[in-house]
Amino acid sequence: MSLHSVERYPFDRIFTVYEPQGGQTVADSMLELAALRAELNAVRSAQESALAAARIDGFEAGLMQARGERDAALLSAVDALHGAIEELDERYDETVRRLTGDAAELALDAADMIAGHAVERAPTAGIDEAIGRVLNQVARGTELQIRVHPTLVETVEECVAVRQRNDRRKLNLAVLPDGTLPPGDALIAWEQGGLTLDAAARRAAVVAELEALMPAAPLVAAA
């Protein structure tokens, strides 16, 4: 064909529209695709909601388990603490009883030592005080008989003389020896009564007060 002889291309004036198989139109396909997309979106949303709910349920379950374990651990710790406190209370009570008993024994030993030292240094001091207490209780001129150990007669008579010099009234006091009385003890008698100055009795009274505090068997007063 020559370049100068150009022929017109034949175009058909009738176009054919493509129709999907089964007679389905494009509009129907678009609607079906939109429905599928909506269903997919709904499935995804439901999946995400279910996943979020599962996460919340798992978190709550874990939290409940952690709280249960915490409560159990706390209860166990409290029980252990109570046991330790009870053990400490028992040890404390035992220590208090032991220390109280030791203190009571020490107090009794100290009382014995002080009393013995007082009798050794001033064997008539307690007797003189007892005479003063009796003179304050009896009527003026009452005759008193003061029985003491023979080695203390002279010393007690000196105490009586001092009291007589310091008292305006006439004192009727007689000092008598009594070998049955230990040094430091005395028996002061008058017509209406008497007074016994007994170191052993005083010790027995002290022991009676301290018996409840003693950890061992009760002490027996010295004869």
Side-chain angles (χ1 to χ4, degrees):
M1 178 173 27
S2 174
L3 294 175
H4 298 284
S5 57
V6 178
E7 297 180 359
R8 297 177 59 185
Y9 186 83
F11 289 98
D12 293 333
R13 296 181 179 274
I14 300 174
F15 296 92
T16 303
V17 179
Y18 171 79
E19 293 185 1
Q21 296 180 355
Q24 187 178 21
T25 63
V26 175
D28 293 336
S29 299
M30 294 298 293
L31 291 176
E32 183 178 356
L33 180 60
L36 291 175
R37 288 178 178 176
E39 184 178 356
L40 179 60
N41 291 333
V43 170
R44 288 177 179 177
S45 178
Q47 183 180 8
E48 291 177 356
S49 299
L51 182 60
R55 289 176 179 174
I56 294 175
D57 292 341
F59 176 78
E60 291 180 352
L63 184 60
M64 291 295 294
Q65 181 178 358
R67 288 176 177 174
E69 293 176 355
R70 180 203 60 187
D71 294 340
L74 182 60
L75 182 60
S76 177
V78 170
D79 291 340
L81 181 60
H82 285 170
I85 292 175
E86 291 177 357
E87 183 178 358
L88 288 176
D89 289 340
E90 293 177 358
R91 291 183 180 180
Y92 175 78
D93 293 339
E94 178 62 26
T95 302
V96 169
R97 285 192 296 267
R98 179 173 56 82
L99 292 179
T100 302
D102 293 344
E105 292 180 353
L106 180 61
L108 186 58
D109 292 339
D112 286 341
M113 183 181 66
I114 293 173
H117 187 62
V119 171
E120 181 180 354
R121 293 189 58 184
T124 60
I127 299 173
D128 186 47
E129 292 177 359
I131 293 172
R133 293 197 300 271
V134 172
L135 290 175
N136 291 331
Q137 296 175 9
V138 300
R140 177 177 298 183
T142 300
E143 180 180 359
L144 301 180
Q145 290 185 353
I146 307 168
R147 295 182 179 276
V148 297
H149 190 270
T151 59
L152 299 180
V153 172
E154 184 177 353
T155 308
V156 174
E157 287 178 343
E158 293 177 357
C159 294
V160 170
V162 172
R163 284 189 173 275
Q164 182 62 73
R165 288 195 299 267
N166 295 330
D167 200 323
R168 296 180 180 181
R169 61 182 176 174
K170 173 73 175 171
L171 301 180
N172 192 2
L173 306 178
V175 182
L176 303 175
D178 189 339
T180 63
L181 296 175
D185 288 357
L187 176 59
I188 305 175
W190 60 96
E191 185 177 355
Q192 291 83 12
L195 173 66
T196 301
L197 193 63
D198 189 346
R202 292 196 302 273
R203 186 180 187 279
V206 173
V207 170
E209 293 294 331
L210 296 179
E211 272 186 358
L213 303 177
M214 295 298 179
L219 298 179
V220 179

